[in-house]
Amino acid sequence: MSQGTRGVKRDIELLQFRSDILLALGSNQRSSAGTPQETLNSACACIVNAGGVIRAISPFYATPCFPAGAGPDYVNAAVALKWDRTAKEVLTALHRIEAELGRSRVQRWGQRTVDLDLIAIGDQVMPDAQTFAHWRDLPLDQQMKEAPDQLILPHPRMQDRAFVLVPLADVAPDWVHPVSGLSVVQMRDALDPAVRAEVVAL
C-alpha cells in the first residue's frame, strides 16, 4: 500500500470514528492515584491529556463485584467523548492509561486498579456482524475462559450488565445499538429491576 493510500485509509477511519465514543470505567483497588474514585478521575484526566474531548461523565456508582466473589465491590462510571483516533488507536491509548495506573492483566475479570472498556464508537459493528454475534452469544462459562484477540464493537455483553448500562444512561441515553436496535435506556430497563437496584449512586 502506498503512503498516499495509507493516508486516505486513515482519514476515512477517522471520519468514521468522529461519532461519540462510549466508555465504561471501573475500579475496585487503590492505585497510584488513590482510591477507586480518585483513580477514575485520574483516568479521565489522562484521556483528556491524550487528546480526548470528554462530552459527559456519569456520576460514580457502587456496584457489586462481577463475577460475585471475585473481589471488593466496584466503583463504576461511563464517559462519552470525541477523539480523533481510529478504534485501534483508542484501544491502545486506553490500555496505556490502564498500565500507567497500575493495571495488570493477570486474571480475566479479576480485581483491578482500573478498567477502561471501549463500549461503542457511533454505530460501528466490528470487525463484522458474524464475529460480533459469536461473542455476544457465547455462554457465560466460556466467556470466563475465552477472550477475543481483536476488538469487538459494540461491546458484546453490554446489554447484560447493569454496571455498564446504568451509568451509560446518564451520558448517552438515546444511543441505539446498531445490531439490536435498542437504546441504552431500553436495554437498561429490560434488566431485572433487582439487578439494576444493585447499582447505587455514590
Side-chain angles (χ1 to χ4, degrees), residues 117-197:
D117 271 344
L118 181 52
I119 299 299
I121 301 180
D123 61 358
Q124 299 298 304
V125 178
M126 297 181 62
D128 54 65
Q130 183 177 0
T131 305
F132 168 83
H134 167 77
W135 288 101
R136 178 197 59 199
D137 299 337
L138 201 67
L140 181 61
D141 59 337
Q142 289 181 253
Q143 292 179 27
M144 298 181 73
K145 300 173 184 176
E146 301 178 28
D149 59 2
Q150 58 188 321
L151 177 60
I152 310 295
L153 289 178
H155 192 293
R157 290 176 297 280
M158 65 175 295
Q159 66 279 348
D160 304 322
R161 295 182 171 178
F163 64 85
V164 171
L165 292 173
V166 172
L168 200 59
D170 292 318
V171 300
D174 299 324
W175 178 82
V176 174
H177 196 291
V179 177
S180 71
L182 298 176
S183 71
V184 168
V185 168
Q186 288 172 320
M187 288 186 283
R188 179 200 64 187
D189 291 350
L191 295 172
D192 184 332
V195 173
R196 293 203 312 268

Side-chain angles (χ1 to χ4, degrees), residues 63-113:
T63 65
C65 186
F66 179 84
D73 288 350
Y74 270 86
V75 175
N76 285 102
V79 169
L81 69 149
K82 301 285 189 183
W83 208 345
D84 279 355
R85 297 187 176 206
T86 67
K88 183 177 180 180
E89 290 169 343
V90 169
L91 188 64
T92 297
L94 294 178
H95 286 174
R96 183 170 62 250
I97 292 168
E98 288 178 337
E100 290 172 358
L101 291 170
R103 167 76 184 270
S104 59
R105 296 177 179 273
V106 177
Q107 178 185 347
R108 184 158 170 77
W109 293 349
Q111 300 182 45
R112 59 203 62 181
T113 56

Side-chain angles (χ1 to χ4, degrees), residues 22-37:
L22 304 180
L23 303 181
L25 288 65
S27 173
N28 72 338
Q29 286 187 322
R30 290 184 64 89
S31 73
S32 57
T35 65
Q37 292 96 321

Side-chain angles (χ1 to χ4, degrees), residues 32-53:
S32 57
T35 65
Q37 292 96 321
E38 291 167 333
T39 299
L40 297 191
N41 279 324
S42 182
C44 289
C46 290
I47 289 169
V48 171
N49 289 339
V53 179

